[in-house]
Amino acid sequence: MGAREAAPALGVAALVSALGLDEGGYAATAWGWSAVVLLALLAVLLARGARLPRGAGLVFVGGLAAFVVWTAVSAAWTTHVSATVLELQRAVLYLTAAAVLTLAASGTQLLAGTLGAATLLCGYGLARWLVGDPEVPLSADPNAGERLSEPIGYANGVALLAAIGLLLAVGFTARASQTARAMAAAATAPLLAVTLYFTFGRGAWLALAVGFAVAVAIDCRRLQLAATAAALALPAGAAVAASHALGAGWLLAGTIVLLCGAAGVVPLLLRRSTVRVPRALRTAFAATLVALPLLAATVVLIRLGGPDGATDAFTAAPTPVHGVGSERLFSVAGSSRADYWRIAWRSYEAEPTLGTGAGTYARTWLAERPIPQPVRDAHSLYLETLVELGPIGLLLLAVALAAPLAGRRDPIALAPYAAFLAHAAQDWAWELPAVTIAALACGAAMVVPPSGPRIPRAAAFAPAVLCLTMVLAYAGNRTLAASVAAADRGDYAVAAGRARTARTLEPWSAEPWRLLGEAQLASGEVAAARQSFRRGLERDAGDWELWLDLGLASEGRDRRDAWARALSLNPLSPELQELGFGGR
């Protein structure tokens, strides 16, 4: 493979890996720098005369572009301008990534780069988990430290990335044109399977099953693909069994390395096999593929007491067993998702036409949550989009994400992409660019490479301007993060200075005023802090933290009024309860 052919693979691997090592790209600063890089690359591609995508590729990119525009338009009615602007910035990143991946599409290379990134990130996290010093993530989940979450910072995100990698490993093992490439892909399976196991993420296992089922359903050589998966399942399953028996440590690490070597031999054995399988045996194998998931679903329903029992188990309040170790894998509890979805649907019923504006679910949850659990997302991309952007926003997103499904019927790419779409229905991987861009790369691999007329070179002006805009956005988000970091270490003078700079870079946002006021309050400048909080509330009267801070900087009736307003916006606030004010 020449340097030119390898460029897409190396580019995808580098981008996804860099985002993954930057806590999955969750922070605004991460999608800021990555968007700047991709917009600059897109401008170069357009300036060199890139060709216009056709069919599914055009709908893929065009649908995301329309979704970005609608997200921007929602700023006109949003209840939280700053959150909407941040959602817009991340949406621009995804649009740009889809455009670059589609214009530079080379199918197999994009998938190879995605597998490489998944292996690198999962390998790093697993190594830290087994023999290193894994960090305990900052999470509202009290059992977060029991689950592998590095380097992304969210165990379910790592689990989905591992599932995407596993599906790609199976696909390359079955279909790579060169045996050496198939062997390299197969060797990753035990590592990825153990990573998936130690995350104890149930949704990713279901997504893995969905992705594999879709691939088998559309593949004309489905039995060969299933047989390859079954062969790889032996070393991968042995690695998971060893993980359960041995636990973390050097012994398990060595065992995984040996099983990776054994898995690497699987393609060699399969391709050298000359055994002709009788038709009756092939038919029995196909019937087993259909029967096993149905049998498993039936057994689960029987154990849970039927559909009603399954519903009760899903909606039950979380208990310690739901979040600890391998026991979690066999629980069907929804981990409060029923509450998240119920509040989201109630919000949609209140604003069924346009929604509440991009990024506003967190504020809705605080006002209406029935449990103290802090949540920023509805744990369903599709439901949250409906709530925040209305039916139009959901339609635009659905058209964009469904477009690759109308492209080439490539089971290698379709399986991980379908897994991502399924997982997005019950979690928030959309907030993790490392995982989402890996999925978009799989989607781009299914669209036909651009073959239309050359795009006018003047079109490069648009991403160039957007690039400059994202540079300013990155500077603003970086300055805010620096202010928070300075305050955390007690350097309030620096925190105030960074907040003042952020006021200039983000004049629409109330957050710089809040950070400035908090730094002033900590420094004893009570009157100045009070003024800063009021200036922030002029921009965003729905920010409960500003009302809380204003109360801290006030006295008497002014304090009670400010805290009463904060309580109305966040009735279960533990901060207000600690201050002896309200709480339901």
Side-chain angles (χ1 to χ4, degrees), residues 526-559:
V526 179
R530 190 161 52 243
Q531 181 63 21
S532 294
F533 296 142
R534 286 172 175 162
R535 293 292 297 275
L537 288 168
E538 291 173 2
R539 288 160 175 77
D540 186 1
D543 188 333
W544 79 273
E545 289 182 282
L546 274 170
W547 287 109
L548 173 65
D549 288 340
L550 180 59
L552 291 172
S554 305
E555 295 179 353
R557 181 173 180 177
D558 289 341
R559 169 173 289 182

mmCIF file of all heavy atoms in Angstrom, residues 526-559:
data_model
loop_
_atom_site.group_PDB
_atom_site.id
_atom_site.type_symbol
_atom_site.label_atom_id
_atom_site.label_comp_id
_atom_site.label_asym_id
_atom_site.label_seq_id
_atom_site.Cartn_x
_atom_site.Cartn_y
_atom_site.Cartn_z
ATOM 1 N N VAL A 526 -17.331 41.251 47.361
ATOM 2 C CA VAL A 526 -18.733 40.833 47.353
ATOM 3 C C VAL A 526 -19.580 41.711 46.439
ATOM 4 O O VAL A 526 -20.394 41.203 45.648
ATOM 5 C CB VAL A 526 -19.293 40.846 48.787
ATOM 6 C CG1 VAL A 526 -20.764 40.435 48.779
ATOM 7 C CG2 VAL A 526 -18.486 39.909 49.681
ATOM 8 N N ALA A 527 -19.431 43.028 46.513
ATOM 9 C CA ALA A 527 -20.254 43.926 45.692
ATOM 10 C C ALA A 527 -19.978 43.704 44.208
ATOM 11 O O ALA A 527 -20.914 43.674 43.385
ATOM 12 C CB ALA A 527 -19.988 45.377 46.079
ATOM 13 N N ALA A 528 -18.699 43.562 43.845
ATOM 14 C CA ALA A 528 -18.348 43.319 42.444
ATOM 15 C C ALA A 528 -18.904 41.978 41.971
ATOM 16 O O ALA A 528 -19.383 41.841 40.837
ATOM 17 C CB ALA A 528 -16.832 43.365 42.266
ATOM 18 N N ALA A 529 -18.839 40.972 42.840
ATOM 19 C CA ALA A 529 -19.364 39.655 42.486
ATOM 20 C C ALA A 529 -20.862 39.724 42.246
ATOM 21 O O ALA A 529 -21.380 39.150 41.274
ATOM 22 C CB ALA A 529 -19.056 38.655 43.596
ATOM 23 N N ARG A 530 -21.558 40.444 43.124
ATOM 24 C CA ARG A 530 -23.003 40.583 42.970
ATOM 25 C C ARG A 530 -23.348 41.221 41.629
ATOM 26 O O ARG A 530 -24.277 40.792 40.928
ATOM 27 C CB ARG A 530 -23.547 41.417 44.139
ATOM 28 C CG ARG A 530 -25.050 41.432 44.225
ATOM 29 C CD ARG A 530 -25.530 41.845 45.616
ATOM 30 N NE ARG A 530 -24.918 43.101 46.044
ATOM 31 C CZ ARG A 530 -24.109 43.221 47.102
ATOM 32 N NH1 ARG A 530 -23.781 42.143 47.816
ATOM 33 N NH2 ARG A 530 -23.612 44.400 47.455
ATOM 34 N N GLN A 531 -22.589 42.226 41.244
ATOM 35 C CA GLN A 531 -22.815 42.898 39.964
ATOM 36 C C GLN A 531 -22.549 41.948 38.797
ATOM 37 O O GLN A 531 -23.295 41.930 37.808
ATOM 38 C CB GLN A 531 -21.925 44.137 39.857
ATOM 39 C CG GLN A 531 -22.087 44.929 38.580
ATOM 40 C CD GLN A 531 -23.488 45.528 38.415
ATOM 41 O OE1 GLN A 531 -24.222 45.699 39.398
ATOM 42 N NE2 GLN A 531 -23.863 45.835 37.193
ATOM 43 N N SER A 532 -21.500 41.141 38.905
ATOM 44 C CA SER A 532 -21.180 40.181 37.838
ATOM 45 C C SER A 532 -22.281 39.149 37.685
ATOM 46 O O SER A 532 -22.678 38.793 36.560
ATOM 47 C CB SER A 532 -19.847 39.479 38.142
ATOM 48 O OG SER A 532 -18.768 40.395 38.095
ATOM 49 N N PHE A 533 -22.793 38.653 38.802
ATOM 50 C CA PHE A 533 -23.873 37.674 38.716
ATOM 51 C C PHE A 533 -25.118 38.271 38.061
ATOM 52 O O PHE A 533 -25.785 37.614 37.251
ATOM 53 C CB PHE A 533 -24.213 37.144 40.117
ATOM 54 C CG PHE A 533 -23.087 36.390 40.770
ATOM 55 C CD1 PHE A 533 -22.847 36.508 42.134
ATOM 56 C CD2 PHE A 533 -22.261 35.562 40.028
ATOM 57 C CE1 PHE A 533 -21.812 35.812 42.739
ATOM 58 C CE2 PHE A 533 -21.216 34.859 40.622
ATOM 59 C CZ PHE A 533 -20.995 34.993 41.984
ATOM 60 N N ARG A 534 -25.417 39.508 38.381
ATOM 61 C CA ARG A 534 -26.584 40.157 37.775
ATOM 62 C C ARG A 534 -26.378 40.362 36.279
ATOM 63 O O ARG A 534 -27.329 40.227 35.492
ATOM 64 C CB ARG A 534 -26.858 41.475 38.480
ATOM 65 C CG ARG A 534 -27.485 41.296 39.864
ATOM 66 C CD ARG A 534 -27.581 42.591 40.624
ATOM 67 N NE ARG A 534 -28.294 42.402 41.895
ATOM 68 C CZ ARG A 534 -28.241 43.260 42.907
ATOM 69 N NH1 ARG A 534 -27.507 44.379 42.795
ATOM 70 N NH2 ARG A 534 -28.905 43.021 44.018
ATOM 71 N N ARG A 535 -25.152 40.697 35.873
ATOM 72 C CA ARG A 535 -24.879 40.852 34.435
ATOM 73 C C ARG A 535 -25.042 39.505 33.721
ATOM 74 O O ARG A 535 -25.520 39.447 32.589
ATOM 75 C CB ARG A 535 -23.466 41.393 34.228
ATOM 76 C CG ARG A 535 -23.252 42.818 34.726
ATOM 77 C CD ARG A 535 -24.022 43.823 33.883
ATOM 78 N NE ARG A 535 -23.587 43.848 32.504
ATOM 79 C CZ ARG A 535 -22.563 44.567 32.055
ATOM 80 N NH1 ARG A 535 -21.854 45.320 32.904
ATOM 81 N NH2 ARG A 535 -22.241 44.560 30.781
ATOM 82 N N GLY A 536 -24.644 38.441 34.396
ATOM 83 C CA GLY A 536 -24.841 37.120 33.811
ATOM 84 C C GLY A 536 -26.304 36.772 33.665
ATOM 85 O O GLY A 536 -26.735 36.215 32.652
ATOM 86 N N LEU A 537 -27.107 37.129 34.673
ATOM 87 C CA LEU A 537 -28.533 36.831 34.627
ATOM 88 C C LEU A 537 -29.256 37.643 33.570
ATOM 89 O O LEU A 537 -30.314 37.232 33.078
ATOM 90 C CB LEU A 537 -29.155 37.075 36.002
ATOM 91 C CG LEU A 537 -28.785 36.034 37.067
ATOM 92 C CD1 LEU A 537 -29.186 36.507 38.455
ATOM 93 C CD2 LEU A 537 -29.438 34.697 36.740
ATOM 94 N N GLU A 538 -28.704 38.793 33.189
ATOM 95 C CA GLU A 538 -29.281 39.562 32.088
ATOM 96 C C GLU A 538 -29.193 38.775 30.787
ATOM 97 O O GLU A 538 -30.041 38.920 29.896
ATOM 98 C CB GLU A 538 -28.555 40.898 31.932
ATOM 99 C CG GLU A 538 -28.809 41.883 33.071
ATOM 100 C CD GLU A 538 -27.946 43.124 32.962
ATOM 101 O OE1 GLU A 538 -27.178 43.226 31.961
ATOM 102 O OE2 GLU A 538 -28.023 43.981 33.849
ATOM 103 N N ARG A 539 -28.185 37.918 30.673
ATOM 104 C CA ARG A 539 -28.002 37.101 29.466
ATOM 105 C C ARG A 539 -28.728 35.764 29.566
ATOM 106 O O ARG A 539 -29.118 35.208 28.545
ATOM 107 C CB ARG A 539 -26.506 36.876 29.228
ATOM 108 C CG ARG A 539 -25.792 38.119 28.740
ATOM 109 C CD ARG A 539 -24.281 38.047 28.966
ATOM 110 N NE ARG A 539 -23.631 39.212 28.385
ATOM 111 C CZ ARG A 539 -23.631 40.428 28.924
ATOM 112 N NH1 ARG A 539 -24.281 40.626 30.076
ATOM 113 N NH2 ARG A 539 -23.022 41.435 28.339
ATOM 114 N N ASP A 540 -28.863 35.249 30.783
ATOM 115 C CA ASP A 540 -29.484 33.936 30.946
ATOM 116 C C ASP A 540 -30.148 33.852 32.314
ATOM 117 O O ASP A 540 -29.526 33.455 33.300
ATOM 118 C CB ASP A 540 -28.430 32.832 30.803
ATOM 119 C CG ASP A 540 -29.032 31.443 30.807
ATOM 120 O OD1 ASP A 540 -30.273 31.335 30.912
ATOM 121 O OD2 ASP A 540 -28.277 30.459 30.703
ATOM 122 N N ALA A 541 -31.419 34.221 32.360
ATOM 123 C CA ALA A 541 -32.155 34.203 33.629
ATOM 124 C C ALA A 541 -32.537 32.797 34.057
ATOM 125 O O ALA A 541 -33.051 32.598 35.159
ATOM 126 C CB ALA A 541 -33.410 35.062 33.515
ATOM 127 N N GLY A 542 -32.271 31.799 33.198
ATOM 128 C CA GLY A 542 -32.609 30.419 33.534
ATOM 129 C C GLY A 542 -31.458 29.630 34.114
ATOM 130 O O GLY A 542 -31.575 28.413 34.294
ATOM 131 N N ASP A 543 -30.333 30.293 34.422
ATOM 132 C CA ASP A 543 -29.163 29.612 34.976
ATOM 133 C C ASP A 543 -29.297 29.547 36.498
ATOM 134 O O ASP A 543 -29.093 30.536 37.199
ATOM 135 C CB ASP A 543 -27.892 30.370 34.582
ATOM 136 C CG ASP A 543 -26.623 29.615 34.956
ATOM 137 O OD1 ASP A 543 -26.665 28.828 35.917
ATOM 138 O OD2 ASP A 543 -25.597 29.834 34.299
ATOM 139 N N TRP A 544 -29.625 28.375 37.016
ATOM 140 C CA TRP A 544 -29.875 28.251 38.451
ATOM 141 C C TRP A 544 -28.610 28.508 39.262
ATOM 142 O O TRP A 544 -28.690 29.013 40.396
ATOM 143 C CB TRP A 544 -30.443 26.868 38.767
ATOM 144 C CG TRP A 544 -29.411 25.770 38.814
ATOM 145 C CD1 TRP A 544 -28.965 25.028 37.773
ATOM 146 C CD2 TRP A 544 -28.695 25.328 39.962
ATOM 147 N NE1 TRP A 544 -28.009 24.139 38.181
ATOM 148 C CE2 TRP A 544 -27.821 24.292 39.528
ATOM 149 C CE3 TRP A 544 -28.694 25.688 41.309
ATOM 150 C CZ2 TRP A 544 -26.971 23.630 40.394
ATOM 151 C CZ3 TRP A 544 -27.831 25.026 42.174
ATOM 152 C CH2 TRP A 544 -26.990 24.009 41.735
ATOM 153 N N GLU A 545 -27.432 28.202 38.699
ATOM 154 C CA GLU A 545 -26.185 28.435 39.435
ATOM 155 C C GLU A 545 -25.937 29.928 39.646
ATOM 156 O O GLU A 545 -25.409 30.342 40.693
ATOM 157 C CB GLU A 545 -25.008 27.815 38.681
ATOM 158 C CG GLU A 545 -24.992 26.304 38.704
ATOM 159 C CD GLU A 545 -23.791 25.733 37.984
ATOM 160 O OE1 GLU A 545 -23.814 25.704 36.737
ATOM 161 O OE2 GLU A 545 -22.830 25.335 38.658
ATOM 162 N N LEU A 546 -26.314 30.742 38.676
ATOM 163 C CA LEU A 546 -26.166 32.188 38.850
ATOM 164 C C LEU A 546 -27.075 32.700 39.966
ATOM 165 O O LEU A 546 -26.674 33.568 40.754
ATOM 166 C CB LEU A 546 -26.481 32.905 37.533
ATOM 167 C CG LEU A 546 -25.327 33.045 36.545
ATOM 168 C CD1 LEU A 546 -25.819 33.553 35.206
ATOM 169 C CD2 LEU A 546 -24.250 33.969 37.109
ATOM 170 N N TRP A 547 -28.271 32.169 40.039
ATOM 171 C CA TRP A 547 -29.174 32.570 41.124
ATOM 172 C C TRP A 547 -28.632 32.102 42.468
ATOM 173 O O TRP A 547 -28.715 32.830 43.477
ATOM 174 C CB TRP A 547 -30.571 32.005 40.890
ATOM 175 C CG TRP A 547 -31.328 32.683 39.794
ATOM 176 C CD1 TRP A 547 -31.633 32.169 38.572
ATOM 177 C CD2 TRP A 547 -31.862 34.004 39.813
ATOM 178 N NE1 TRP A 547 -32.324 33.080 37.813
ATOM 179 C CE2 TRP A 547 -32.477 34.231 38.560
ATOM 180 C CE3 TRP A 547 -31.885 35.034 40.756
ATOM 181 C CZ2 TRP A 547 -33.111 35.418 38.237
ATOM 182 C CZ3 TRP A 547 -32.516 36.229 40.438
ATOM 183 C CH2 TRP A 547 -33.119 36.422 39.200
ATOM 184 N N LEU A 548 -28.079 30.904 42.509
ATOM 185 C CA LEU A 548 -27.462 30.409 43.739
ATOM 186 C C LEU A 548 -26.320 31.322 44.167
ATOM 187 O O LEU A 548 -26.211 31.723 45.333
ATOM 188 C CB LEU A 548 -26.949 28.979 43.529
ATOM 189 C CG LEU A 548 -26.119 28.370 44.664
ATOM 190 C CD1 LEU A 548 -26.966 28.190 45.916
ATOM 191 C CD2 LEU A 548 -25.509 27.042 44.224
ATOM 192 N N ASP A 549 -25.448 31.663 43.204
ATOM 193 C CA ASP A 549 -24.305 32.530 43.506
ATOM 194 C C ASP A 549 -24.761 33.925 43.936
ATOM 195 O O ASP A 549 -24.168 34.529 44.840
ATOM 196 C CB ASP A 549 -23.396 32.637 42.280
ATOM 197 C CG ASP A 549 -22.631 31.352 42.009
ATOM 198 O OD1 ASP A 549 -22.508 30.536 42.942
ATOM 199 O OD2 ASP A 549 -22.168 31.171 40.872
ATOM 200 N N LEU A 550 -25.803 34.431 43.261
ATOM 201 C CA LEU A 550 -26.303 35.761 43.634
ATOM 202 C C LEU A 550 -26.802 35.753 45.076
ATOM 203 O O LEU A 550 -26.590 36.725 45.830
ATOM 204 C CB LEU A 550 -27.427 36.179 42.685
ATOM 205 C CG LEU A 550 -28.049 37.559 42.959
ATOM 206 C CD1 LEU A 550 -27.004 38.670 42.877
ATOM 207 C CD2 LEU A 550 -29.198 37.826 41.989
ATOM 208 N N GLY A 551 -27.444 34.651 45.463
ATOM 209 C CA GLY A 551 -27.881 34.549 46.843
ATOM 210 C C GLY A 551 -26.720 34.545 47.818
ATOM 211 O O GLY A 551 -26.769 35.165 48.885
ATOM 212 N N LEU A 552 -25.642 33.870 47.456
ATOM 213 C CA LEU A 552 -24.454 33.840 48.318
ATOM 214 C C LEU A 552 -23.834 35.226 48.469
ATOM 215 O O LEU A 552 -23.219 35.531 49.493
ATOM 216 C CB LEU A 552 -23.421 32.864 47.750
ATOM 217 C CG LEU A 552 -23.782 31.375 47.794
ATOM 218 C CD1 LEU A 552 -22.761 30.564 47.017
ATOM 219 C CD2 LEU A 552 -23.877 30.881 49.244
ATOM 220 N N ALA A 553 -23.986 36.046 47.431
ATOM 221 C CA ALA A 553 -23.406 37.396 47.462
ATOM 222 C C ALA A 553 -24.389 38.438 47.991
ATOM 223 O O ALA A 553 -24.066 39.633 47.990
ATOM 224 C CB ALA A 553 -22.941 37.786 46.055
ATOM 225 N N SER A 554 -25.573 38.001 48.420
ATOM 226 C CA SER A 554 -26.598 38.933 48.893
ATOM 227 C C SER A 554 -26.954 38.613 50.338
ATOM 228 O O SER A 554 -26.477 37.640 50.929
ATOM 229 C CB SER A 554 -27.843 38.847 48.005
ATOM 230 O OG SER A 554 -27.518 39.061 46.644
ATOM 231 N N GLU A 555 -27.858 39.394 50.869
ATOM 232 C CA GLU A 555 -28.315 39.198 52.238
ATOM 233 C C GLU A 555 -29.820 39.422 52.323
ATOM 234 O O GLU A 555 -30.433 39.986 51.402
ATOM 235 C CB GLU A 555 -27.601 40.172 53.194
ATOM 236 C CG GLU A 555 -26.102 39.954 53.312
ATOM 237 C CD GLU A 555 -25.458 40.955 54.257
ATOM 238 O OE1 GLU A 555 -26.161 41.892 54.696
ATOM 239 O OE2 GLU A 555 -24.252 40.799 54.552
ATOM 240 N N GLY A 556 -30.400 38.956 53.432
ATOM 241 C CA GLY A 556 -31.797 39.229 53.714
ATOM 242 C C GLY A 556 -32.757 38.747 52.646
ATOM 243 O O GLY A 556 -32.644 37.645 52.111
ATOM 244 N N ARG A 557 -33.699 39.611 52.313
ATOM 245 C CA ARG A 557 -34.737 39.235 51.353
ATOM 246 C C ARG A 557 -34.151 38.960 49.966
ATOM 247 O O ARG A 557 -34.634 38.082 49.254
ATOM 248 C CB ARG A 557 -35.784 40.353 51.275
ATOM 249 C CG ARG A 557 -36.909 40.034 50.319
ATOM 250 C CD ARG A 557 -38.013 41.071 50.379
ATOM 251 N NE ARG A 557 -39.078 40.732 49.454
ATOM 252 C CZ ARG A 557 -40.200 41.430 49.324
ATOM 253 N NH1 ARG A 557 -40.407 42.517 50.094
ATOM 254 N NH2 ARG A 557 -41.130 41.056 48.468
ATOM 255 N N ASP A 558 -33.135 39.727 49.568
ATOM 256 C CA ASP A 558 -32.516 39.502 48.254
ATOM 257 C C ASP A 558 -31.955 38.085 48.161
ATOM 258 O O ASP A 558 -32.057 37.433 47.121
ATOM 259 C CB ASP A 558 -31.405 40.517 48.012
ATOM 260 C CG ASP A 558 -31.951 41.917 47.763
ATOM 261 O OD1 ASP A 558 -33.143 42.033 47.430
ATOM 262 O OD2 ASP A 558 -31.173 42.885 47.900
ATOM 263 N N ARG A 559 -31.358 37.624 49.253
ATOM 264 C CA ARG A 559 -30.822 36.250 49.255
ATOM 265 C C ARG A 559 -31.955 35.235 49.138
ATOM 266 O O ARG A 559 -31.876 34.291 48.340
ATOM 267 C CB ARG A 559 -30.016 36.007 50.529
ATOM 268 C CG ARG A 559 -29.647 34.538 50.760
ATOM 269 C CD ARG A 559 -28.714 34.358 51.939
ATOM 270 N NE ARG A 559 -27.385 34.877 51.617
ATOM 271 C CZ ARG A 559 -26.343 34.811 52.447
ATOM 272 N NH1 ARG A 559 -26.490 34.267 53.652
ATOM 273 N NH2 ARG A 559 -25.179 35.284 52.094
#
